[in-house]
Amino acid sequence: MVHDDSRPAPVGPRRRIELDGAEALRLLGSVSLGRIVFTRHALPTVRPVNHVLDGGDIVIRTHEGAALTSRTERAGGPGVVVAYEADAIDPHTHLGWSVVVTGYARLVTDPEDLARCRRLVRPWVDQAMDQVMDQAVRIRPDLVTGILLTADGHDTPAGV
């Protein structure tokens, strides 16, 4: 059996702390990448995306042919139900946090708001000629949950 000394020593007992909505959103806003979950062909679909928080809403960029774009474009009423998840968890100690937001996603159609969203969110993937990330989706949080995983006796994990 090979022992890897480059890995940190195991963390002792862990504690799970439920976060309030405000703290969960603050942590979500501290990172730029997350995952959006929506329904496509009656099945859950997950896409990695980058985001910003804007007035309590999560804003992401997308392109004209994207499944999420077409779903939100056709949505009436409050929009399309989605989940959004972001986290920061240390791969060695498994300490960190995870936040899940459930809410309604709507395509940004107001020209001024769309221009503003384009300035706020820079797409994390290279743009192909046929997939210019010129659309934006705004997610209005309805339910915000989060957990913090800490070493027993600590209020925050290292790096949070």
Coordinates of all heavy atoms in Angstrom, one line a residue, residues 13-98:
P13 N -13.6 14.9 13.8 CA -15.0 15.0 13.7 C -15.5 16.2 12.9 O -14.9 17.3 13.1 CB -15.5 15.0 15.1 CG -14.4 14.5 15.9 CD -13.1 14.8 15.2
R14 N -16.5 16.1 12.1 CA -17.0 17.2 11.3 C -18.4 17.6 11.9 O -19.1 16.8 12.5 CB -17.2 16.8 9.9 CG -15.8 16.6 9.2 CD -16.0 16.2 7.8 NE -14.8 16.1 7.1 CZ -14.1 14.9 7.0 NH1 -14.5 13.9 7.6 NH2 -12.9 14.9 6.4
R15 N -18.7 18.8 11.6 CA -20.0 19.3 12.0 C -20.7 20.0 10.8 O -20.0 20.7 10.1 CB -19.8 20.4 13.1 CG -21.1 20.8 13.8 CD -20.8 21.6 15.1 NE -19.9 22.7 14.8 CZ -20.0 23.9 15.3 NH1 -21.0 24.2 16.1 NH2 -19.2 24.9 15.0
R16 N -22.0 19.7 10.7 CA -22.8 20.3 9.6 C -23.6 21.4 10.2 O -24.4 21.2 11.2 CB -23.7 19.2 9.1 CG -24.6 19.7 8.0 CD -25.6 18.6 7.6 NE -26.7 19.1 6.9 CZ -27.1 18.7 5.7 NH1 -26.5 17.7 5.2 NH2 -28.1 19.2 5.1
I17 N -23.5 22.6 9.7 CA -24.2 23.8 10.1 C -25.1 24.3 9.0 O -24.7 24.5 7.9 CB -23.2 25.0 10.5 CG1 -22.3 24.5 11.6 CG2 -24.0 26.2 10.9 CD1 -21.1 25.5 11.9
E18 N -26.4 24.4 9.3 CA -27.4 24.9 8.4 C -27.2 26.5 8.3 O -27.1 27.1 9.3 CB -28.8 24.6 8.8 CG -29.1 23.2 8.9 CD -29.2 22.5 7.6 OE1 -29.7 23.1 6.6 OE2 -28.9 21.3 7.5
L19 N -27.1 27.0 7.1 CA -27.0 28.4 6.9 C -28.3 29.1 6.7 O -29.2 28.5 6.1 CB -26.1 28.7 5.7 CG -24.7 28.1 5.7 CD1 -24.0 28.2 4.3 CD2 -23.8 28.8 6.8
D20 N -28.4 30.4 7.2 CA -29.6 31.1 6.8 C -29.5 31.6 5.4 O -28.4 31.6 4.8 CB -29.9 32.3 7.8 CG -28.8 33.4 7.8 OD1 -28.3 33.7 6.7 OD2 -28.5 33.9 8.9
G21 N -30.6 32.1 4.8 CA -30.7 32.4 3.4 C -29.7 33.5 3.1 O -29.1 33.5 2.0
A22 N -29.6 34.5 3.9 CA -28.7 35.7 3.6 C -27.2 35.2 3.6 O -26.5 35.6 2.7 CB -28.9 36.8 4.7
E23 N -26.8 34.4 4.5 CA -25.4 33.9 4.5 C -25.2 33.0 3.4 O -24.1 33.0 2.7 CB -25.1 33.2 5.9 CG -23.7 32.6 5.9 CD -22.6 33.7 5.9 OE1 -22.8 34.9 5.9 OE2 -21.4 33.2 5.8
A24 N -26.2 32.2 3.0 CA -26.0 31.3 1.9 C -25.8 32.0 0.6 O -25.0 31.7 -0.2 CB -27.2 30.3 1.8
L25 N -26.6 33.1 0.4 CA -26.5 33.9 -0.8 C -25.2 34.7 -0.8 O -24.5 34.8 -1.9 CB -27.6 34.9 -0.9 CG -28.9 34.3 -1.5 CD1 -30.0 35.4 -1.5 CD2 -28.7 33.7 -2.9
R26 N -24.7 35.1 0.4 CA -23.4 35.8 0.4 C -22.3 34.8 0.0 O -21.4 35.2 -0.8 CB -23.1 36.2 1.9 CG -21.8 37.0 2.0 CD -21.3 37.2 3.4 NE -20.8 36.0 4.0 CZ -19.6 35.5 3.8 NH1 -18.8 36.0 2.9 NH2 -19.2 34.4 4.4
L27 N -22.3 33.6 0.4 CA -21.3 32.6 0.0 C -21.4 32.3 -1.5 O -20.4 32.2 -2.2 CB -21.4 31.3 0.8 CG -21.0 31.4 2.3 CD1 -21.3 30.2 3.1 CD2 -19.5 31.7 2.3
L28 N -22.7 32.2 -2.0 CA -22.9 31.9 -3.4 C -22.3 33.1 -4.2 O -21.7 32.8 -5.3 CB -24.4 31.7 -3.7 CG -24.7 31.3 -5.1 CD1 -25.7 30.2 -5.2 CD2 -25.1 32.5 -6.0
G29 N -22.4 34.3 -3.8 CA -21.9 35.4 -4.4 C -20.4 35.5 -4.4 O -19.8 36.3 -5.1
S30 N -19.7 34.7 -3.5 CA -18.3 34.8 -3.4 C -17.6 33.9 -4.4 O -16.3 34.0 -4.5 CB -17.9 34.4 -2.0 OG -18.0 33.0 -1.8
V31 N -18.3 33.1 -5.2 CA -17.7 32.3 -6.2 C -18.4 32.7 -7.6 O -19.5 33.3 -7.6 CB -17.9 30.8 -6.0 CG1 -17.2 30.4 -4.7 CG2 -19.3 30.4 -5.9
S32 N -17.8 32.3 -8.7 CA -18.3 32.7 -9.9 C -18.9 31.5 -10.8 O -19.6 31.7 -11.8 CB -17.3 33.4 -10.8 OG -16.2 32.5 -11.0
L33 N -18.7 30.3 -10.3 CA -19.1 29.1 -11.1 C -20.2 28.3 -10.3 O -20.0 28.2 -9.0 CB -18.0 28.2 -11.5 CG -17.0 28.7 -12.5 CD1 -15.9 27.8 -12.7 CD2 -17.7 29.0 -13.8
G34 N -21.2 27.8 -10.9 CA -22.2 27.0 -10.3 C -22.8 26.1 -11.3 O -22.3 25.9 -12.5
R35 N -23.9 25.4 -11.0 CA -24.6 24.5 -11.9 C -26.1 24.9 -11.8 O -26.7 25.0 -10.8 CB -24.4 23.1 -11.4 CG -22.9 22.6 -11.7 CD -22.5 21.5 -10.8 NE -22.3 21.9 -9.4 CZ -21.2 22.6 -8.9 NH1 -20.3 23.0 -9.7 NH2 -21.1 22.8 -7.6
I36 N -26.6 25.0 -13.0 CA -28.1 25.2 -13.1 C -28.8 23.9 -13.5 O -28.3 23.1 -14.3 CB -28.4 26.3 -14.1 CG1 -29.9 26.6 -14.0 CG2 -28.0 26.0 -15.5 CD1 -30.3 28.0 -14.5
V37 N -29.9 23.6 -12.8 CA -30.6 22.4 -13.1 C -32.0 22.8 -13.6 O -32.7 23.6 -12.9 CB -30.8 21.5 -11.8 CG1 -31.6 20.3 -12.1 CG2 -29.4 21.3 -11.2
F38 N -32.4 22.3 -14.7 CA -33.7 22.6 -15.3 C -34.2 21.3 -16.0 O -33.5 20.3 -16.1 CB -33.7 23.8 -16.3 CG -32.7 23.6 -17.4 CD1 -33.2 23.2 -18.7 CD2 -31.4 23.8 -17.3 CE1 -32.4 23.0 -19.7 CE2 -30.5 23.6 -18.4 CZ -31.0 23.2 -19.6
T39 N -35.5 21.4 -16.4 CA -36.1 20.2 -17.1 C -36.0 20.4 -18.6 O -36.3 21.4 -19.2 CB -37.6 20.1 -16.7 OG1 -37.7 20.0 -15.3 CG2 -38.2 18.9 -17.3
R40 N -35.5 19.3 -19.2 CA -35.4 19.2 -20.7 C -35.9 17.9 -21.1 O -35.4 16.8 -20.7 CB -34.0 19.4 -21.2 CG -33.8 19.4 -22.6 CD -32.4 19.7 -23.1 NE -32.3 19.7 -24.5 CZ -31.2 19.5 -25.2 NH1 -30.1 19.3 -24.5 NH2 -31.2 19.6 -26.5
H41 N -37.0 17.9 -22.0 CA -37.6 16.6 -22.4 C -38.0 15.8 -21.2 O -37.8 14.6 -21.2 CB -36.7 15.8 -23.4 CG -36.2 16.6 -24.5 ND1 -37.0 17.1 -25.5 CD2 -34.9 16.9 -24.9 CE1 -36.3 17.7 -26.4 NE2 -35.0 17.6 -26.1
A42 N -38.6 16.4 -20.2 CA -39.2 15.8 -19.0 C -38.1 15.2 -18.2 O -38.4 14.4 -17.3 CB -40.3 14.8 -19.4
L43 N -36.8 15.5 -18.4 CA -35.8 14.9 -17.5 C -34.9 16.1 -17.0 O -34.8 17.1 -17.6 CB -34.9 14.0 -18.4 CG -35.6 12.8 -18.9 CD1 -34.6 12.0 -19.9 CD2 -35.9 11.8 -17.8
P44 N -34.3 15.9 -15.8 CA -33.5 16.9 -15.2 C -32.2 17.0 -16.1 O -31.6 16.0 -16.5 CB -33.1 16.4 -13.8 CG -33.5 15.0 -13.8 CD -34.5 14.7 -14.9
T45 N -31.8 18.3 -16.3 CA -30.6 18.6 -17.0 C -29.7 19.5 -16.2 O -30.3 20.5 -15.6 CB -30.9 19.3 -18.4 OG1 -31.8 18.4 -19.1 CG2 -29.7 19.6 -19.2
V46 N -28.4 19.3 -16.1 CA -27.5 20.1 -15.4 C -26.5 20.7 -16.3 O -25.9 20.0 -17.1 CB -26.8 19.3 -14.3 CG1 -25.8 20.1 -13.5 CG2 -27.8 18.5 -13.4
R47 N -26.2 22.0 -16.1 CA -25.2 22.7 -16.9 C -24.3 23.5 -16.0 O -24.9 24.3 -15.2 CB -25.9 23.6 -17.9 CG -26.7 23.0 -19.0 CD -25.9 22.3 -20.1 NE -26.7 21.9 -21.2 CZ -27.1 20.6 -21.3 NH1 -26.8 19.7 -20.3 NH2 -27.8 20.2 -22.3
P48 N -23.0 23.4 -16.2 CA -22.1 24.3 -15.4 C -22.2 25.7 -16.1 O -22.2 25.8 -17.3 CB -20.7 23.7 -15.6 CG -20.8 22.9 -16.9 CD -22.3 22.5 -17.0
V49 N -22.3 26.7 -15.3 CA -22.4 28.1 -15.8 C -21.7 29.0 -14.8 O -21.4 28.7 -13.6 CB -23.8 28.6 -16.0 CG1 -24.5 27.8 -17.1 CG2 -24.6 28.5 -14.7
N50 N -21.3 30.2 -15.3 CA -20.8 31.2 -14.3 C -22.0 32.2 -14.0 O -23.0 32.3 -14.8 CB -19.6 31.9 -14.8 CG -19.7 32.6 -16.1 OD1 -20.4 32.1 -17.0 ND2 -19.2 33.8 -16.2
H51 N -21.9 32.9 -12.9 CA -23.0 33.8 -12.5 C -22.5 35.0 -11.7 O -21.3 35.0 -11.3 CB -23.9 33.0 -11.5 CG -23.2 32.6 -10.2 ND1 -22.5 31.5 -10.1 CD2 -23.2 33.3 -9.1 CE1 -22.0 31.4 -8.8 NE2 -22.4 32.5 -8.2
V52 N -23.4 35.9 -11.5 CA -23.2 37.0 -10.6 C -24.5 37.2 -9.8 O -25.6 36.8 -10.3 CB -22.8 38.4 -11.2 CG1 -21.5 38.3 -11.9 CG2 -23.9 38.8 -12.2
L53 N -24.4 37.7 -8.6 CA -25.6 38.1 -7.9 C -25.9 39.6 -8.2 O -25.0 40.4 -8.2 CB -25.4 38.0 -6.4 CG -25.5 36.6 -5.8 CD1 -25.3 36.7 -4.3 CD2 -26.8 36.0 -6.1
D54 N -27.1 39.9 -8.5 CA -27.6 41.2 -8.9 C -28.9 41.5 -8.2 O -29.9 41.0 -8.6 CB -27.7 41.3 -10.5 CG -28.1 42.7 -10.9 OD1 -27.6 43.7 -10.4 OD2 -29.0 42.7 -11.8
G55 N -28.8 42.3 -7.2 CA -30.0 42.7 -6.5 C -30.7 41.5 -5.8 O -31.9 41.5 -5.8
G56 N -29.9 40.5 -5.4 CA -30.5 39.3 -4.8 C -30.9 38.2 -5.8 O -31.3 37.1 -5.5
D57 N -30.8 38.5 -7.1 CA -31.1 37.6 -8.2 C -29.8 37.0 -8.7 O -28.7 37.6 -8.6 CB -31.8 38.2 -9.4 CG -33.2 38.6 -9.1 OD1 -33.8 38.2 -8.0 OD2 -33.8 39.4 -9.9
I58 N -29.8 35.8 -9.2 CA -28.7 35.1 -9.9 C -28.8 35.4 -11.4 O -29.9 35.2 -11.9 CB -28.7 33.6 -9.6 CG1 -28.6 33.4 -8.1 CG2 -27.5 33.0 -10.3 CD1 -29.0 32.0 -7.7
V59 N -27.8 35.9 -12.0 CA -27.8 36.2 -13.4 C -26.7 35.3 -14.1 O -25.6 35.3 -13.6 CB -27.5 37.7 -13.7 CG1 -27.5 37.9 -15.2 CG2 -28.6 38.5 -13.1
I60 N -27.1 34.7 -15.2 CA -26.2 33.9 -16.0 C -26.4 34.3 -17.4 O -27.4 34.9 -17.8 CB -26.5 32.3 -15.8 CG1 -27.9 32.0 -16.4 CG2 -26.4 31.9 -14.4 CD1 -28.1 30.5 -16.5
R61 N -25.3 33.9 -18.2 CA -25.4 34.2 -19.7 C -25.7 32.9 -20.4 O -25.3 31.8 -19.9 CB -24.1 34.8 -20.2 CG -23.7 36.1 -19.6 CD -24.2 37.3 -20.5 NE -23.7 37.3 -21.8 CZ -22.7 38.0 -22.2 NH1 -21.9 38.6 -21.3 NH2 -22.3 38.0 -23.5
T62 N -26.3 33.0 -21.5 CA -26.6 31.8 -22.4 C -26.6 32.3 -23.8 O -26.4 33.4 -24.1 CB -27.9 31.2 -21.9 OG1 -28.2 30.0 -22.7 CG2 -29.1 32.1 -22.1
H63 N -26.9 31.3 -24.7 CA -26.9 31.7 -26.1 C -28.3 31.3 -26.7 O -29.1 30.6 -26.1 CB -25.8 31.0 -26.9 CG -25.8 29.5 -26.9 ND1 -26.5 28.8 -27.7 CD2 -25.2 28.7 -26.0 CE1 -26.4 27.5 -27.5 NE2 -25.5 27.4 -26.4
E64 N -28.6 31.8 -27.9 CA -29.9 31.7 -28.6 C -30.3 30.3 -28.7 O -31.5 30.0 -28.4 CB -29.8 32.4 -29.9 CG -31.1 32.4 -30.7 CD -32.2 33.3 -30.0 OE1 -31.8 34.4 -29.5 OE2 -33.4 32.9 -30.0
G65 N -29.5 29.3 -29.0 CA -29.9 28.0 -29.3 C -29.9 27.1 -28.0 O -30.3 25.9 -28.1
A66 N -29.6 27.6 -26.9 CA -29.5 26.8 -25.7 C -30.9 26.3 -25.2 O -31.9 27.1 -25.4 CB -28.8 27.6 -24.6
A67 N -30.9 25.1 -24.7 CA -32.2 24.6 -24.2 C -32.8 25.5 -23.1 O -34.0 25.7 -23.1 CB -32.0 23.2 -23.6
L68 N -32.0 26.0 -22.2 CA -32.5 26.9 -21.2 C -33.1 28.2 -21.8 O -34.1 28.7 -21.3 CB -31.4 27.2 -20.1 CG -31.9 28.1 -19.0 CD1 -33.0 27.4 -18.2 CD2 -30.7 28.4 -18.1
T69 N -32.4 28.7 -22.8 CA -32.9 29.9 -23.4 C -34.3 29.7 -24.0 O -35.2 30.5 -23.8 CB -32.0 30.4 -24.5 OG1 -30.7 30.6 -24.0 CG2 -32.5 31.7 -25.2
S70 N -34.5 28.6 -24.7 CA -35.8 28.3 -25.3 C -36.9 28.0 -24.3 O -38.0 28.4 -24.4 CB -35.7 27.2 -26.4 OG -35.3 26.0 -25.8
R71 N -36.5 27.3 -23.2 CA -37.5 27.1 -22.1 C -37.9 28.4 -21.5 O -39.1 28.5 -21.2 CB -36.8 26.1 -21.1 CG -36.6 24.7 -21.5 CD -37.7 23.8 -21.4 NE -38.1 23.7 -20.0 CZ -39.4 23.7 -19.6 NH1 -40.4 23.8 -20.5 NH2 -39.7 23.7 -18.3
T72 N -37.0 29.3 -21.2 CA -37.4 30.5 -20.5 C -38.1 31.4 -21.4 O -38.9 32.2 -21.0 CB -36.1 31.2 -19.9 OG1 -35.2 31.4 -20.9 CG2 -35.6 30.4 -18.7
E73 N -37.8 31.4 -22.7 CA -38.4 32.2 -23.7 C -39.9 31.9 -23.8 O -40.7 32.8 -24.0 CB -37.7 32.0 -25.0 CG -37.9 33.1 -26.0 CD -36.9 32.9 -27.2 OE1 -36.7 31.7 -27.6 OE2 -36.3 33.9 -27.7
R74 N -40.2 30.6 -23.7 CA -41.6 30.2 -23.9 C -42.4 30.3 -22.6 O -43.6 30.1 -22.5 CB -41.7 28.7 -24.4 CG -41.2 28.6 -25.8 CD -41.5 27.2 -26.3 NE -41.1 26.1 -25.4 CZ -40.0 25.4 -25.5 NH1 -39.1 25.7 -26.4 NH2 -39.7 24.4 -24.7
A75 N -41.7 30.5 -21.5 CA -42.4 30.4 -20.2 C -43.3 31.6 -20.0 O -42.9 32.8 -20.3 CB -41.3 30.4 -19.0
G76 N -44.4 31.4 -19.4 CA -45.3 32.5 -19.0 C -45.3 32.6 -17.5 O -44.6 31.9 -16.8
G77 N -46.1 33.5 -17.0 CA -46.2 33.6 -15.6 C -44.9 34.0 -14.9 O -44.1 34.8 -15.5
P78 N -44.6 33.3 -13.8 CA -43.3 33.7 -13.1 C -42.0 33.2 -13.8 O -41.0 33.7 -13.4 CB -43.5 33.0 -11.7 CG -44.4 31.9 -12.0 CD -45.3 32.3 -13.1
G79 N -42.1 32.2 -14.7 CA -41.0 31.7 -15.4 C -40.9 30.2 -15.2 O -41.8 29.5 -14.9
V80 N -39.7 29.7 -15.4 CA -39.4 28.2 -15.4 C -38.7 27.9 -14.0 O -37.8 28.6 -13.6 CB -38.4 27.9 -16.5 CG1 -38.0 26.4 -16.4 CG2 -39.0 28.1 -17.9
V81 N -39.2 26.9 -13.4 CA -38.6 26.5 -12.1 C -37.3 25.8 -12.4 O -37.1 25.0 -13.2 CB -39.5 25.4 -11.4 CG1 -38.8 24.9 -10.1 CG2 -40.9 26.1 -11.0
V82 N -36.3 26.3 -11.7 CA -34.9 25.8 -11.8 C -34.3 25.7 -10.4 O -34.8 26.2 -9.4 CB -34.0 26.8 -12.6 CG1 -34.5 26.9 -14.0 CG2 -33.8 28.1 -12.0
A83 N -33.2 25.0 -10.3 CA -32.4 24.9 -9.1 C -31.0 25.4 -9.5 O -30.6 25.2 -10.7 CB -32.3 23.5 -8.5
Y84 N -30.3 26.1 -8.6 CA -29.0 26.6 -8.9 C -28.1 26.2 -7.7 O -28.5 26.4 -6.6 CB -28.9 28.1 -9.1 CG -27.6 28.5 -9.7 CD1 -27.4 28.5 -11.1 CD2 -26.6 29.0 -8.9 CE1 -26.2 28.8 -11.6 CE2 -25.4 29.4 -9.4 CZ -25.2 29.3 -10.8 OH -24.0 29.7 -11.3
E85 N -26.9 25.6 -8.0 CA -26.1 25.1 -6.9 C -24.7 25.6 -7.1 O -24.2 25.7 -8.2 CB -26.1 23.6 -6.9 CG -25.4 23.0 -5.6 CD -23.9 22.8 -5.8 OE1 -23.4 22.7 -6.9 OE2 -23.3 22.7 -4.7
A86 N -24.0 26.1 -6.0 CA -22.6 26.4 -6.1 C -22.0 26.0 -4.7 O -22.7 25.8 -3.7 CB -22.5 27.9 -6.2
D87 N -20.7 25.7 -4.8 CA -20.1 25.3 -3.5 C -18.6 25.6 -3.6 O -18.1 26.0 -4.6 CB -20.3 23.8 -3.3 CG -19.8 23.0 -4.5 OD1 -18.7 23.2 -5.0 OD2 -20.6 22.1 -5.0
A88 N -18.0 25.5 -2.4 CA -16.5 25.5 -2.3 C -16.2 24.5 -1.2 O -16.3 24.7 0.0 CB -16.1 26.9 -1.9
I89 N -15.7 23.4 -1.7 CA -15.4 22.2 -0.8 C -14.0 21.8 -1.0 O -13.6 21.5 -2.2 CB -16.4 21.1 -0.9 CG1 -17.8 21.6 -0.6 CG2 -16.0 19.9 -0.1 CD1 -18.9 20.6 -0.7
D90 N -13.2 21.8 0.0 CA -11.8 21.4 -0.1 C -11.7 19.9 -0.5 O -12.3 19.0 0.2 CB -11.0 21.6 1.2 CG -9.6 21.2 1.1 OD1 -9.3 20.0 1.2 OD2 -8.7 22.2 1.0
P91 N -11.0 19.5 -1.6 CA -11.0 18.1 -2.0 C -10.3 17.2 -1.0 O -10.5 16.0 -1.1 CB -10.3 18.2 -3.4 CG -9.5 19.4 -3.3 CD -10.2 20.4 -2.5
H92 N -9.4 17.7 -0.2 CA -8.7 16.8 0.8 C -9.4 16.7 2.1 O -9.5 15.6 2.6 CB -7.3 17.3 1.0 CG -6.5 17.3 -0.3 ND1 -6.1 16.1 -1.0 CD2 -6.0 18.3 -1.1 CE1 -5.4 16.4 -2.0 NE2 -5.3 17.8 -2.1
T93 N -9.9 17.8 2.6 CA -10.5 17.7 4.0 C -12.0 17.5 3.9 O -12.6 17.2 4.9 CB -10.2 19.1 4.7 OG1 -10.9 20.1 4.1 CG2 -8.7 19.3 4.9
H94 N -12.6 17.8 2.8 CA -14.0 17.8 2.5 C -14.8 18.8 3.4 O -15.9 18.6 3.7 CB -14.6 16.3 2.8 CG -14.0 15.3 1.8 ND1 -14.2 14.0 2.0 CD2 -13.2 15.5 0.7 CE1 -13.6 13.4 1.0 NE2 -13.0 14.2 0.2
L95 N -14.1 19.8 3.8 CA -14.7 20.9 4.5 C -15.0 22.0 3.5 O -14.4 22.2 2.5 CB -13.8 21.5 5.6 CG -13.4 20.4 6.7 CD1 -12.4 21.1 7.7 CD2 -14.6 19.8 7.4
G96 N -16.1 22.8 3.8 CA -16.5 23.9 3.0 C -18.0 24.2 3.1 O -18.6 24.0 4.1
W97 N -18.5 24.6 2.0 CA -20.0 24.9 2.0 C -20.6 24.6 0.7 O -19.9 24.4 -0.3 CB -20.2 26.4 2.3 CG -19.5 27.3 1.3 CD1 -18.2 27.9 1.5 CD2 -20.0 27.8 0.1 NE1 -17.9 28.7 0.4 CE2 -19.0 28.6 -0.5 CE3 -21.1 27.6 -0.6 CZ2 -19.1 29.2 -1.7 CZ3 -21.3 28.2 -1.9 CH2 -20.3 29.0 -2.4
S98 N -21.9 24.4 0.7 CA -22.7 24.2 -0.5 C -24.0 24.9 -0.3 O -24.7 24.9 0.7 CB -23.0 22.7 -0.6 OG -23.8 22.4 -1.8

